[in-house]
């Protein structure tokens, strides 16, 4: 029996990419200057417009998908008569996973002959997107819904997220960096290097002085952790928040050092929900590697 593979808009892939994968998604929400919008992959407000408004002082706040919204969304998929496997944004950065699980529990009696699995990706942004891309490939290779569920659970911690920011304004605003650290970071051109931990949370790992050095360091992290090191042969995804030239610099260095990657490095935009917290100036790198342990 065929089944539906589903995700949330916070995968930070393009609408066209998800359509090509045949993966439906549910949209998170954000409020920009008091007006609520769907996190619809840049369809309503372009990413350029969104980040320009942030830079000009606009205020953006985010909200996760409610239990009721998940319930209606899952019903729309189950009504097609197929089983569903939904992979959610990391529980380490959002309560959306718990909302999705609650909604799935509420629908059990209504659809007793169908499966509805909800999986915590422990991933975010285009790292979450890389997980969905790989899961869709496994689905197309013929894995059953149970086999795919087991594969994702077994392998999701092998997905690495490394990122840095050259602008700490929104990290200070969100309380992730103190005002003093933000001021010092600006004066000394410090770019924090972070990754996603074993429990799906964003963890600072190093303070690197100057953007040039942190670009070199993030690629060193890939060489250290990627599957087969510099012989890595799977896909590499990236995303950025209005700093495409920085992302291109990282991508160029990756492509020069990892000759066997599957295609070119794919650079996406950080979406409106995650971008509301990072602000402009963040670059992230995603790849498959050794299992995260801390």
């Amino acid at each position: 029996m065929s089944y539906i593979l589903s995700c949330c808009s916070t995968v930070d892939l393009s609408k066209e990419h998800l359509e090509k994968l045949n993966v439906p998604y549910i949209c998170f929400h954000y409020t920009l200057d008091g007006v609520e919008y769907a996190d619809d992959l840049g369809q309503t407000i372009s990413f350029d417009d969104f980040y320009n408004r942030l830079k000009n002082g606009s205020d953006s706040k985010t909200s996760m998908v409610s239990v009721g919204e998940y319930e209606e969304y899952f019903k729309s998929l189950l009504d097609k008569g197929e089983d569903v496997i939904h992979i959610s944004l990391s529980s380490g950065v959002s309560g959306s996973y718990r909302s999705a699980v609650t909604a799935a529990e509420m629908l059990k009696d209504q659809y007793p002959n169908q499966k509805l699995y909800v999986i915590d990706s422990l991933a975010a942004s285009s790292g979450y997107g890389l997980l969905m891309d790989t899961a869709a490939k496994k689905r197309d290779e013929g894995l059953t819904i149970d086999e795919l569920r087991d594969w994702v659970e077994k392998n999701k911690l092998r997905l690495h997220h490394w990122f840095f920011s050259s602008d700490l304004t929104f990290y200070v605003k969100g309380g992730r960096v103190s005002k003093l650290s933000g001021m010092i970071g600006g004066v000394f051109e410090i770019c924090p290097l972070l990754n996603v931990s074993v429990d799906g949370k964003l963890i600072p790992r190093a303070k690197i002085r100057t953007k040039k050095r942190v670009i070199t360091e993030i690629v060193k992290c890939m060489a250290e952790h990627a599957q087969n090191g510099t012989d890595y042969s799977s896909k590499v995804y990236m995303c950025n928040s209005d700093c495409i030239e920085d992302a291109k610099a990282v991508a160029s260095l990756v492509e020069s050092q990892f000759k066997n990657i599957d295609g070119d490095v794919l650079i996406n935009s950080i979406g409106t929900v995650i971008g509301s917290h990072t602000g402009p100036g963040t670059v992230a790198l995603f790849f498959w590697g050794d299992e995260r342990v801390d």
Side-chain angles (χ1 to χ4, degrees), residues 28-51:
F28 274 55
H29 315 278
Y30 67 101
T31 302
L32 188 62
D33 291 333
V35 179
E36 183 174 276
Y37 299 94
D39 176 39
D40 58 2
L41 312 180
Q43 301 302 299
T44 301
I45 296 180
S46 72
F47 298 127
D48 286 343
D49 185 21
F50 174 74
Y51 285 111

PDB file of all heavy atoms in Angstrom, residues 28-51:
ATOM      1  N   PHE A  28       3.688  26.747   9.455  1.00  0.00           N
ATOM      2  CA  PHE A  28       3.764  27.490  10.704  1.00  0.00           C
ATOM      3  C   PHE A  28       3.227  28.908  10.442  1.00  0.00           C
ATOM      4  O   PHE A  28       2.784  29.217   9.343  1.00  0.00           O
ATOM      5  CB  PHE A  28       5.212  27.554  11.194  1.00  0.00           C
ATOM      6  CG  PHE A  28       5.637  26.375  12.027  1.00  0.00           C
ATOM      7  CD1 PHE A  28       5.515  25.075  11.553  1.00  0.00           C
ATOM      8  CD2 PHE A  28       6.188  26.572  13.283  1.00  0.00           C
ATOM      9  CE1 PHE A  28       5.915  23.994  12.325  1.00  0.00           C
ATOM     10  CE2 PHE A  28       6.598  25.498  14.067  1.00  0.00           C
ATOM     11  CZ  PHE A  28       6.451  24.203  13.582  1.00  0.00           C
ATOM     12  N   HIS A  29       3.314  29.776  11.456  1.00  0.00           N
ATOM     13  CA  HIS A  29       2.827  31.145  11.322  1.00  0.00           C
ATOM     14  C   HIS A  29       3.862  32.120  11.869  1.00  0.00           C
ATOM     15  O   HIS A  29       4.674  31.767  12.724  1.00  0.00           O
ATOM     16  CB  HIS A  29       1.524  31.352  12.104  1.00  0.00           C
ATOM     17  CG  HIS A  29       0.526  30.264  11.927  1.00  0.00           C
ATOM     18  ND1 HIS A  29      -0.305  30.208  10.840  1.00  0.00           N
ATOM     19  CD2 HIS A  29       0.218  29.185  12.688  1.00  0.00           C
ATOM     20  CE1 HIS A  29      -1.088  29.147  10.940  1.00  0.00           C
ATOM     21  NE2 HIS A  29      -0.779  28.496  12.052  1.00  0.00           N
ATOM     22  N   TYR A  30       3.783  33.354  11.395  1.00  0.00           N
ATOM     23  CA  TYR A  30       4.568  34.422  11.999  1.00  0.00           C
ATOM     24  C   TYR A  30       3.784  35.722  11.883  1.00  0.00           C
ATOM     25  O   TYR A  30       2.915  35.876  11.010  1.00  0.00           O
ATOM     26  CB  TYR A  30       5.948  34.546  11.344  1.00  0.00           C
ATOM     27  CG  TYR A  30       5.934  35.008   9.903  1.00  0.00           C
ATOM     28  CD1 TYR A  30       6.228  36.326   9.563  1.00  0.00           C
ATOM     29  CD2 TYR A  30       5.641  34.121   8.867  1.00  0.00           C
ATOM     30  CE1 TYR A  30       6.230  36.747   8.240  1.00  0.00           C
ATOM     31  CE2 TYR A  30       5.647  34.527   7.547  1.00  0.00           C
ATOM     32  CZ  TYR A  30       5.937  35.843   7.235  1.00  0.00           C
ATOM     33  OH  TYR A  30       5.927  36.249   5.932  1.00  0.00           O
ATOM     34  N   THR A  31       4.065  36.634  12.788  1.00  0.00           N
ATOM     35  CA  THR A  31       3.422  37.946  12.785  1.00  0.00           C
ATOM     36  C   THR A  31       4.478  38.991  12.514  1.00  0.00           C
ATOM     37  O   THR A  31       5.476  39.087  13.236  1.00  0.00           O
ATOM     38  CB  THR A  31       2.743  38.220  14.139  1.00  0.00           C
ATOM     39  OG1 THR A  31       1.787  37.193  14.396  1.00  0.00           O
ATOM     40  CG2 THR A  31       2.036  39.564  14.124  1.00  0.00           C
ATOM     41  N   LEU A  32       4.275  39.754  11.462  1.00  0.00           N
ATOM     42  CA  LEU A  32       5.225  40.797  11.062  1.00  0.00           C
ATOM     43  C   LEU A  32       4.538  42.144  11.214  1.00  0.00           C
ATOM     44  O   LEU A  32       3.535  42.418  10.544  1.00  0.00           O
ATOM     45  CB  LEU A  32       5.670  40.569   9.622  1.00  0.00           C
ATOM     46  CG  LEU A  32       6.807  41.435   9.089  1.00  0.00           C
ATOM     47  CD1 LEU A  32       8.093  41.201   9.889  1.00  0.00           C
ATOM     48  CD2 LEU A  32       7.052  41.157   7.605  1.00  0.00           C
ATOM     49  N   ASP A  33       5.054  42.962  12.145  1.00  0.00           N
ATOM     50  CA  ASP A  33       4.453  44.266  12.444  1.00  0.00           C
ATOM     51  C   ASP A  33       2.960  44.142  12.729  1.00  0.00           C
ATOM     52  O   ASP A  33       2.134  44.930  12.250  1.00  0.00           O
ATOM     53  CB  ASP A  33       4.693  45.246  11.292  1.00  0.00           C
ATOM     54  CG  ASP A  33       6.155  45.637  11.167  1.00  0.00           C
ATOM     55  OD1 ASP A  33       6.872  45.598  12.193  1.00  0.00           O
ATOM     56  OD2 ASP A  33       6.592  45.958  10.048  1.00  0.00           O
ATOM     57  N   GLY A  34       2.605  43.098  13.499  1.00  0.00           N
ATOM     58  CA  GLY A  34       1.234  42.942  13.942  1.00  0.00           C
ATOM     59  C   GLY A  34       0.307  42.233  12.979  1.00  0.00           C
ATOM     60  O   GLY A  34      -0.852  41.986  13.308  1.00  0.00           O
ATOM     61  N   VAL A  35       0.784  41.872  11.805  1.00  0.00           N
ATOM     62  CA  VAL A  35      -0.039  41.179  10.809  1.00  0.00           C
ATOM     63  C   VAL A  35       0.419  39.731  10.711  1.00  0.00           C
ATOM     64  O   VAL A  35       1.612  39.464  10.546  1.00  0.00           O
ATOM     65  CB  VAL A  35       0.059  41.857   9.425  1.00  0.00           C
ATOM     66  CG1 VAL A  35      -0.801  41.105   8.402  1.00  0.00           C
ATOM     67  CG2 VAL A  35      -0.366  43.312   9.511  1.00  0.00           C
ATOM     68  N   GLU A  36      -0.524  38.786  10.830  1.00  0.00           N
ATOM     69  CA  GLU A  36      -0.156  37.367  10.805  1.00  0.00           C
ATOM     70  C   GLU A  36      -0.076  36.842   9.377  1.00  0.00           C
ATOM     71  O   GLU A  36      -0.928  37.144   8.538  1.00  0.00           O
ATOM     72  CB  GLU A  36      -1.163  36.525  11.594  1.00  0.00           C
ATOM     73  CG  GLU A  36      -0.762  35.042  11.655  1.00  0.00           C
ATOM     74  CD  GLU A  36      -1.651  34.217  12.549  1.00  0.00           C
ATOM     75  OE1 GLU A  36      -1.396  34.213  13.768  1.00  0.00           O
ATOM     76  OE2 GLU A  36      -2.594  33.598  12.036  1.00  0.00           O
ATOM     77  N   TYR A  37       0.942  36.032   9.114  1.00  0.00           N
ATOM     78  CA  TYR A  37       1.149  35.406   7.811  1.00  0.00           C
ATOM     79  C   TYR A  37       1.434  33.918   8.004  1.00  0.00           C
ATOM     80  O   TYR A  37       1.893  33.491   9.064  1.00  0.00           O
ATOM     81  CB  TYR A  37       2.351  36.029   7.089  1.00  0.00           C
ATOM     82  CG  TYR A  37       2.226  37.505   6.808  1.00  0.00           C
ATOM     83  CD1 TYR A  37       2.742  38.437   7.700  1.00  0.00           C
ATOM     84  CD2 TYR A  37       1.606  37.967   5.644  1.00  0.00           C
ATOM     85  CE1 TYR A  37       2.649  39.797   7.452  1.00  0.00           C
ATOM     86  CE2 TYR A  37       1.504  39.324   5.383  1.00  0.00           C
ATOM     87  CZ  TYR A  37       2.029  40.243   6.284  1.00  0.00           C
ATOM     88  OH  TYR A  37       1.924  41.578   6.043  1.00  0.00           O
ATOM     89  N   ALA A  38       1.176  33.162   6.963  1.00  0.00           N
ATOM     90  CA  ALA A  38       1.590  31.756   6.951  1.00  0.00           C
ATOM     91  C   ALA A  38       3.048  31.675   6.517  1.00  0.00           C
ATOM     92  O   ALA A  38       3.495  32.436   5.647  1.00  0.00           O
ATOM     93  CB  ALA A  38       0.717  30.960   5.984  1.00  0.00           C
ATOM     94  N   ASP A  39       3.777  30.784   7.136  1.00  0.00           N
ATOM     95  CA  ASP A  39       5.163  30.512   6.739  1.00  0.00           C
ATOM     96  C   ASP A  39       5.102  29.640   5.486  1.00  0.00           C
ATOM     97  O   ASP A  39       5.324  28.429   5.534  1.00  0.00           O
ATOM     98  CB  ASP A  39       5.887  29.794   7.885  1.00  0.00           C
ATOM     99  CG  ASP A  39       7.302  29.389   7.540  1.00  0.00           C
ATOM    100  OD1 ASP A  39       8.000  30.155   6.869  1.00  0.00           O
ATOM    101  OD2 ASP A  39       7.698  28.268   7.929  1.00  0.00           O
ATOM    102  N   ASP A  40       4.797  30.269   4.353  1.00  0.00           N
ATOM    103  CA  ASP A  40       4.461  29.526   3.128  1.00  0.00           C
ATOM    104  C   ASP A  40       5.592  29.496   2.115  1.00  0.00           C
ATOM    105  O   ASP A  40       5.382  29.581   0.912  1.00  0.00           O
ATOM    106  CB  ASP A  40       3.191  30.080   2.493  1.00  0.00           C
ATOM    107  CG  ASP A  40       3.295  31.564   2.145  1.00  0.00           C
ATOM    108  OD1 ASP A  40       4.378  32.162   2.366  1.00  0.00           O
ATOM    109  OD2 ASP A  40       2.300  32.125   1.655  1.00  0.00           O
ATOM    110  N   LEU A  41       6.817  29.360   2.611  1.00  0.00           N
ATOM    111  CA  LEU A  41       8.002  29.175   1.762  1.00  0.00           C
ATOM    112  C   LEU A  41       8.228  30.354   0.825  1.00  0.00           C
ATOM    113  O   LEU A  41       8.628  30.196  -0.330  1.00  0.00           O
ATOM    114  CB  LEU A  41       7.888  27.860   0.963  1.00  0.00           C
ATOM    115  CG  LEU A  41       7.496  26.622   1.778  1.00  0.00           C
ATOM    116  CD1 LEU A  41       7.423  25.389   0.879  1.00  0.00           C
ATOM    117  CD2 LEU A  41       8.460  26.388   2.918  1.00  0.00           C
ATOM    118  N   GLY A  42       7.952  31.554   1.330  1.00  0.00           N
ATOM    119  CA  GLY A  42       8.233  32.761   0.568  1.00  0.00           C
ATOM    120  C   GLY A  42       7.207  33.118  -0.479  1.00  0.00           C
ATOM    121  O   GLY A  42       7.464  33.995  -1.306  1.00  0.00           O
ATOM    122  N   GLN A  43       6.042  32.488  -0.448  1.00  0.00           N
ATOM    123  CA  GLN A  43       5.030  32.753  -1.478  1.00  0.00           C
ATOM    124  C   GLN A  43       4.327  34.091  -1.243  1.00  0.00           C
ATOM    125  O   GLN A  43       4.110  34.855  -2.186  1.00  0.00           O
ATOM    126  CB  GLN A  43       3.998  31.622  -1.503  1.00  0.00           C
ATOM    127  CG  GLN A  43       4.577  30.249  -1.783  1.00  0.00           C
ATOM    128  CD  GLN A  43       5.320  30.182  -3.098  1.00  0.00           C
ATOM    129  OE1 GLN A  43       4.741  30.399  -4.158  1.00  0.00           O
ATOM    130  NE2 GLN A  43       6.608  29.902  -3.041  1.00  0.00           N
ATOM    131  N   THR A  44       3.936  34.378  -0.006  1.00  0.00           N
ATOM    132  CA  THR A  44       3.205  35.611   0.288  1.00  0.00           C
ATOM    133  C   THR A  44       4.140  36.806   0.401  1.00  0.00           C
ATOM    134  O   THR A  44       3.891  37.863  -0.180  1.00  0.00           O
ATOM    135  CB  THR A  44       2.401  35.456   1.594  1.00  0.00           C
ATOM    136  OG1 THR A  44       1.490  34.361   1.454  1.00  0.00           O
ATOM    137  CG2 THR A  44       1.602  36.721   1.888  1.00  0.00           C
ATOM    138  N   ILE A  45       5.199  36.633   1.176  1.00  0.00           N
ATOM    139  CA  ILE A  45       6.234  37.664   1.307  1.00  0.00           C
ATOM    140  C   ILE A  45       7.554  37.036   0.914  1.00  0.00           C
ATOM    141  O   ILE A  45       7.958  36.021   1.467  1.00  0.00           O
ATOM    142  CB  ILE A  45       6.309  38.196   2.754  1.00  0.00           C
ATOM    143  CG1 ILE A  45       5.003  38.904   3.130  1.00  0.00           C
ATOM    144  CG2 ILE A  45       7.479  39.149   2.920  1.00  0.00           C
ATOM    145  CD1 ILE A  45       4.994  39.466   4.547  1.00  0.00           C
ATOM    146  N   SER A  46       8.223  37.634  -0.059  1.00  0.00           N
ATOM    147  CA  SER A  46       9.497  37.067  -0.517  1.00  0.00           C
ATOM    148  C   SER A  46      10.526  37.160   0.599  1.00  0.00           C
ATOM    149  O   SER A  46      10.430  38.009   1.502  1.00  0.00           O
ATOM    150  CB  SER A  46      10.000  37.816  -1.750  1.00  0.00           C
ATOM    151  OG  SER A  46      10.453  39.119  -1.399  1.00  0.00           O
ATOM    152  N   PHE A  47      11.525  36.298   0.532  1.00  0.00           N
ATOM    153  CA  PHE A  47      12.571  36.312   1.558  1.00  0.00           C
ATOM    154  C   PHE A  47      13.351  37.632   1.529  1.00  0.00           C
ATOM    155  O   PHE A  47      13.717  38.160   2.576  1.00  0.00           O
ATOM    156  CB  PHE A  47      13.508  35.124   1.376  1.00  0.00           C
ATOM    157  CG  PHE A  47      12.818  33.790   1.529  1.00  0.00           C
ATOM    158  CD1 PHE A  47      12.923  32.813   0.560  1.00  0.00           C
ATOM    159  CD2 PHE A  47      12.037  33.530   2.639  1.00  0.00           C
ATOM    160  CE1 PHE A  47      12.280  31.594   0.691  1.00  0.00           C
ATOM    161  CE2 PHE A  47      11.383  32.317   2.796  1.00  0.00           C
ATOM    162  CZ  PHE A  47      11.504  31.347   1.811  1.00  0.00           C
ATOM    163  N   ASP A  48      13.592  38.168   0.341  1.00  0.00           N
ATOM    164  CA  ASP A  48      14.287  39.460   0.255  1.00  0.00           C
ATOM    165  C   ASP A  48      13.501  40.542   0.973  1.00  0.00           C
ATOM    166  O   ASP A  48      14.064  41.339   1.740  1.00  0.00           O
ATOM    167  CB  ASP A  48      14.491  39.855  -1.213  1.00  0.00           C
ATOM    168  CG  ASP A  48      15.573  39.041  -1.897  1.00  0.00           C
ATOM    169  OD1 ASP A  48      16.381  38.406  -1.192  1.00  0.00           O
ATOM    170  OD2 ASP A  48      15.615  39.038  -3.148  1.00  0.00           O
ATOM    171  N   ASP A  49      12.188  40.590   0.723  1.00  0.00           N
ATOM    172  CA  ASP A  49      11.340  41.593   1.367  1.00  0.00           C
ATOM    173  C   ASP A  49      11.319  41.380   2.881  1.00  0.00           C
ATOM    174  O   ASP A  49      11.418  42.333   3.666  1.00  0.00           O
ATOM    175  CB  ASP A  49       9.924  41.509   0.791  1.00  0.00           C
ATOM    176  CG  ASP A  49       9.006  42.605   1.316  1.00  0.00           C
ATOM    177  OD1 ASP A  49       9.516  43.641   1.782  1.00  0.00           O
ATOM    178  OD2 ASP A  49       7.767  42.423   1.257  1.00  0.00           O
ATOM    179  N   PHE A  50      11.197  40.126   3.301  1.00  0.00           N
ATOM    180  CA  PHE A  50      11.135  39.810   4.731  1.00  0.00           C
ATOM    181  C   PHE A  50      12.385  40.307   5.456  1.00  0.00           C
ATOM    182  O   PHE A  50      12.294  41.007   6.472  1.00  0.00           O
ATOM    183  CB  PHE A  50      10.976  38.302   4.909  1.00  0.00           C
ATOM    184  CG  PHE A  50      11.051  37.835   6.333  1.00  0.00           C
ATOM    185  CD1 PHE A  50      10.004  38.062   7.211  1.00  0.00           C
ATOM    186  CD2 PHE A  50      12.176  37.159   6.793  1.00  0.00           C
ATOM    187  CE1 PHE A  50      10.070  37.628   8.537  1.00  0.00           C
ATOM    188  CE2 PHE A  50      12.241  36.725   8.118  1.00  0.00           C
ATOM    189  CZ  PHE A  50      11.189  36.962   8.989  1.00  0.00           C
ATOM    190  N   TYR A  51      13.562  39.967   4.933  1.00  0.00           N
ATOM    191  CA  TYR A  51      14.796  40.358   5.622  1.00  0.00           C
ATOM    192  C   TYR A  51      15.056  41.854   5.519  1.00  0.00           C
ATOM    193  O   TYR A  51      15.611  42.459   6.447  1.00  0.00           O
ATOM    194  CB  TYR A  51      15.976  39.542   5.097  1.00  0.00           C
ATOM    195  CG  TYR A  51      15.953  38.124   5.614  1.00  0.00           C
ATOM    196  CD1 TYR A  51      15.704  37.045   4.770  1.00  0.00           C
ATOM    197  CD2 TYR A  51      16.143  37.857   6.966  1.00  0.00           C
ATOM    198  CE1 TYR A  51      15.656  35.747   5.257  1.00  0.00           C
ATOM    199  CE2 TYR A  51      16.094  36.560   7.468  1.00  0.00           C
ATOM    200  CZ  TYR A  51      15.850  35.514   6.609  1.00  0.00           C
ATOM    201  OH  TYR A  51      15.789  34.237   7.112  1.00  0.00           O
TER     202      TYR A  51
END
